[in-house]
């Protein structure tokens, strides 16, 4: 039995905008001080108390966090004076994107991003990046984990906002000095001096670093970044109103069952490093093989422009934005290629763009992809050749039809030589190695894919129940006066 499978079994005993303020990171809101590490004791609501970023004299935030709050909502911190961190990381959308675009536009609207915008909620618990990071489950062997941005290249929450501020396809500032000049001329310059010293504006590098520290303080202290106010939080802490319906309970069991959903193998919901519970991530990196978000998808509403270049690949940990795990350094196949950070599943039901390239736009698509990537690749990847009458694929598929006998370009967003790190754990693959006592997760390590045409791991009913459970992870839950007695997520 594989180690991650063991963990899952034990646990079953979680419009002007771009990947801005984090086109590969994660963003936050306003109000009180930091949350309890109990992961559920907070009574704060799920959204920010101030969409404008203004603060009152009675704020319980530290001076640094008050500066960060104002900076987070300051559109002047972009070259076009038209977007702030909150443009992409909206408090009203769990600090994720406020629309269904796969990737966001930058301050220069002629520029388009290359990665979907992650949520900034629950980022305060993320450890620094390491190639051999400990896993919070306490059982799985160390692997690449931690860090900020989708490829972990920002070491801290303070370093993370510096990247989008200077990225031409995000906030598009020419230099750190240009950002500092905006801060020095801002309405909160005096507050900045109170927080960081009267002579702080004498050194550009210091101010730029302090701005990151201020935004980090805001994300750490403000409860709207980690409210723990979902239905699941009430349930797991045995609070009043914390009951799950029959369908939601079935979905939770599927989430935790190693030979069915196996979600908890990566989206770990147990107690994490700092005592938080229910983060629904183990901070690791996985290569899922998401389809390329390009024109090969019929009717694709927003293919990524960078993908028009057939030689361009976004391969996560092995490039192009990291330069320390490249095939040129490590050889081919490169174990890091195609790996992106495992996101939290908290508030996942509020999203409408999924995976690093935003290729999917519904949870129904995402879960079906996990279930049928190997068994029915023709649903997800383009194909050529074949003969006869095209067959209609299910309505959730990216590819509407398939010609019998056609060749499917599986895992088409990675070069063929770099596809060895593709995850073959359940439900994607079989999770079985030739020697089943060997810890492994990928094709290159000997884990077997599911045969094309074979039966997927989950039934349609199990998928529906799993999605019902995902809905219980949404913050801001209000206990209904009268519990529902009918509906897809009840019985």
């Amino acid at each position: 039995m594989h180690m991650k499978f063991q963990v899952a079994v034990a646990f079953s005993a979680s419009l002007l905008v771009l990947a801005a303020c984090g086109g590969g990171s994660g963003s936050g809101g306003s109000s009180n001080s930091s949350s309890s590490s109990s992961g559920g004791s907070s009574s704060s609501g799920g959204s920010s108390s101030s969409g404008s970023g203004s603060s009152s004299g009675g704020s319980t935030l530290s001076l640094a966090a008050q500066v960060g709050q104002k900076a987070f909502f300051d559109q002047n911190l972009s070259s076009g004076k038209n977007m702030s961190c909150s443009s992409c990381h909206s408090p009203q959308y769990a600090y994720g994107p406020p629309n269904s675009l796969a990737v966001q536009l930058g301050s220069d609207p002629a520029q388009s991003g290359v990665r979907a915008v992650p949520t900034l909620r629950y980022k305060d618990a993320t450890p620094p990046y390491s190639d051999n990071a400990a896993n919070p489950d306490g059982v799985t062997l160390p692997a690449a984990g931690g860090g900020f941005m989708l490829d972990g290249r920002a070491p801290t929450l303070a370093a993370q906002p510096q990247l989008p501020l200077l990225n031409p396809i995000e906030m598009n500032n020419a230099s750190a000095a240009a950002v500092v000049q905006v801060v020095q001329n801002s309405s909160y310059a005096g507050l900045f001096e109170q927080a960081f010293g009267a002579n702080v504006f004498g050194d550009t590098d210091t101010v730029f670093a302090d701005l990151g520290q201020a935004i980090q303080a805001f994300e750490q202290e403000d409860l709207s970044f980690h409210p723990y106010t979902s239905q699941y939080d009430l349930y797991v802490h045995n609070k009043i109103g914390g009951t799950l319906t029959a369908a939601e309970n079935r979905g939770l069991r599927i989430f935790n069952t190693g030979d069915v959903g196996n979600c908890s193998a990566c989206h770990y919901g147990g107690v994490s490093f700092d005592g938080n519970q229910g983060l629904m991530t183990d901070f690791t990196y996985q290569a899922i093989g998401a389809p390329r978000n390009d024109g090969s998808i019929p009717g694709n509403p927003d293919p990524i422009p960078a993908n028009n270049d057939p030689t361009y690949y976004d391969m996560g940990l092995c490039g192009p934005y990291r330069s320390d795990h490249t095939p040129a350094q490590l050889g081919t196949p490169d174990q890091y290629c195609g790996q992106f950070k495992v996101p939290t599943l908290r508030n996942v039901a509020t999203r409408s763009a999924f995976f690093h390239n935003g290729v999917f736009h519904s949870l129904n698509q995402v879960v079906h992809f996990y279930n049928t990537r190997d068994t029915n690749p023709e649903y997800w990847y383009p194909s050529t050749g074949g003969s006869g009458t095209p067959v209609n694929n299910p309505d959730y598929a990216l590819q509407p039809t398939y010609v019998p006998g056609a060749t499917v370009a599986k895992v088409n967003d990675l070069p063929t030589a770099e596809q060895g790190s593709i995850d073959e754990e359940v439900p994607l693959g079989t999770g079985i190695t030739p020697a089943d006592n060997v810890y492994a997760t990928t094709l290159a390590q000997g884990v077997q894919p599911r045969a094309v045409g074979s039966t997927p791991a989950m039934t349609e009913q199990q998928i529906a129940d799993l999605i019902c459970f995902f809905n219980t992870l949404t913050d801001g839950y209000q206990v209904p006066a009268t519990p529902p007695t009918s509906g897809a997520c009840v019985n």
Side-chain angles (χ1 to χ4, degrees):
M1 179 181 290
H2 304 311
M3 214 166 291
K4 279 202 172 185
F5 179 86
Q6 288 175 318
V7 171
V9 172
F11 185 66
S12 67
S14 203
L15 218 114
L16 233 262
V17 295
L18 145 67
C21 278
S25 76
S27 285
S30 104
S31 93
N32 301 315
S33 56
S34 58
S35 68
S36 165
S37 63
S38 66
S41 62
S42 166
S43 60
S44 170
S47 63
S48 169
S49 65
S50 173
S52 67
S54 63
S55 63
S56 67
S59 175
T60 58
L61 297 175
S62 68
L63 287 174
Q66 290 181 53
V67 170
Q69 180 185 48
K70 291 180 178 296
F72 191 86
F73 294 97
D74 187 358
Q75 292 189 344
N76 291 320
L77 289 176
S78 62
S79 65
K81 314 303 180 188
N82 53 5
M83 70 183 304
S84 67
C85 298
S86 65
S87 298
C88 293
H89 300 284
S90 170
Q92 286 72 42
Y93 292 85
Y95 292 108
N99 55 48
S100 62
L101 292 177
V103 297
Q104 303 296 311
L105 302 177
S107 181
D108 175 358
Q111 300 291 325
S112 181
V114 294
R115 290 178 179 171
V117 174
T119 177
L120 284 187
R121 273 210 175 141
Y122 302 103
K123 288 291 187 287
D124 59 306
T126 303
Y129 177 83
S130 171
D131 287 347
N132 294 289
N135 195 296
D137 65 35
V139 180
T140 304
L141 295 175
F148 300 87
M149 311 294 275
L150 288 175
D151 57 11
R153 69 187 188 278
T156 64
L157 269 176
Q160 179 269 317
Q162 297 178 346
L163 299 178
L165 281 167
L166 302 181
N167 192 330
I169 61 173
E170 300 190 53
M171 299 183 83
N172 193 34
N173 289 289
S175 64
V179 176
V180 169
Q181 189 63 55
V182 171
V183 175
Q184 190 167 7
N185 294 336
S186 71
S187 62
Y188 51 93
L191 186 62
F192 199 102
E193 290 177 320
Q194 290 181 55
F196 296 104
N199 300 318
V200 65
F201 288 111
D203 185 272
T204 294
D205 291 341
T206 298
V207 177
F208 194 55
D210 286 343
L211 178 62
Q213 292 288 340
I215 294 174
Q216 172 177 270
F218 176 45
E219 295 184 54
Q220 289 174 332
E221 294 179 28
D222 193 290
L223 280 176
S224 67
F225 284 96
H226 30 69
Y228 293 99
T229 55
S230 71
Q231 179 184 354
Y232 177 75
D233 291 309
L234 293 178
Y235 166 79
V236 79
H237 293 287
N238 198 30
K239 299 289 183 70
I240 294 174
T243 57
L244 301 183
T245 66
E248 292 161 352
N249 263 306
R250 291 195 303 267
L252 175 57
R253 288 195 296 272
I254 292 160
F255 184 91
N256 291 329
T257 302
D259 58 355
V260 185
N262 197 34
C263 310
S264 61
C266 295
H267 297 283
Y268 177 66
V271 177
S272 195
F273 300 118
D274 58 358
N276 280 296
Q277 180 173 331
L279 290 174
M280 301 303 175
T281 179
D282 61 4
F283 312 110
T284 61
Y285 292 78
Q286 300 291 325
I288 303 300
R292 189 173 180 88
N293 189 357
D294 64 6
S296 69
I297 302 170
N300 190 351
D302 53 347
I304 296 175
N307 285 339
N308 291 333
D309 178 357
T311 67
Y312 170 81
Y313 291 99
D314 186 355
M315 298 189 290
L317 286 183
C318 81
Y321 304 107
R322 285 195 76 129
S323 58
D324 55 345
H325 295 98
T326 66
Q329 295 170 309
L330 303 179
T332 296
D334 182 333
Q335 65 173 322
Y336 296 103
C337 282
Q339 292 193 354
F340 293 86
K341 183 190 288 186
V342 173
T344 176
L345 290 185
R346 299 188 67 95
N347 298 293
V348 69
T350 69
R351 294 188 63 87
S352 53
F354 298 87
F355 289 174
H356 73 278
N357 59 4
V359 69
F360 295 128
H361 293 282
S362 74
L363 268 177
N364 190 49
Q365 278 188 315
V366 170
V367 180
H368 276 97
F369 172 74
Y370 271 93
N371 202 43
T372 61
R373 185 202 66 188
D374 285 0
T375 63
N376 297 92
E378 71 275 11
Y379 294 173
W380 311 109
Y381 304 108
S383 58
T384 56
S387 61
T389 304
V391 176
N392 289 328
N393 287 333
D395 59 4
Y396 54 73
L398 289 180
Q399 301 293 330
T401 61
Y402 170 71
V403 177
T407 300
V408 180
K410 294 189 288 187
V411 193
N412 66 328
D413 207 20
L414 280 176
T416 302
E418 299 295 353
Q419 294 180 7
S421 294
I422 295 299
D423 192 345
E424 291 292 357
E425 295 176 273
V426 175
L428 295 156
T430 63
I432 297 173
T433 58
D436 196 33
N437 61 341
V438 175
Y439 173 66
T441 61
T442 68
L443 185 65
Q445 296 169 330
V447 181
Q448 300 299 298
R450 292 183 185 273
V452 173
S454 64
T455 302
M458 291 182 283
T459 66
E460 287 297 315
Q461 182 62 59
Q462 288 173 324
I463 288 174
D465 291 339
L466 183 58
I467 293 173
C468 288
F469 170 68
F470 288 151
N471 277 277
T472 72
L473 301 176
T474 301
D475 285 317
Y477 176 70
Q478 299 293 318
V479 179
T482 303
T485 58
S486 62
C489 287
V490 175
N491 300 313

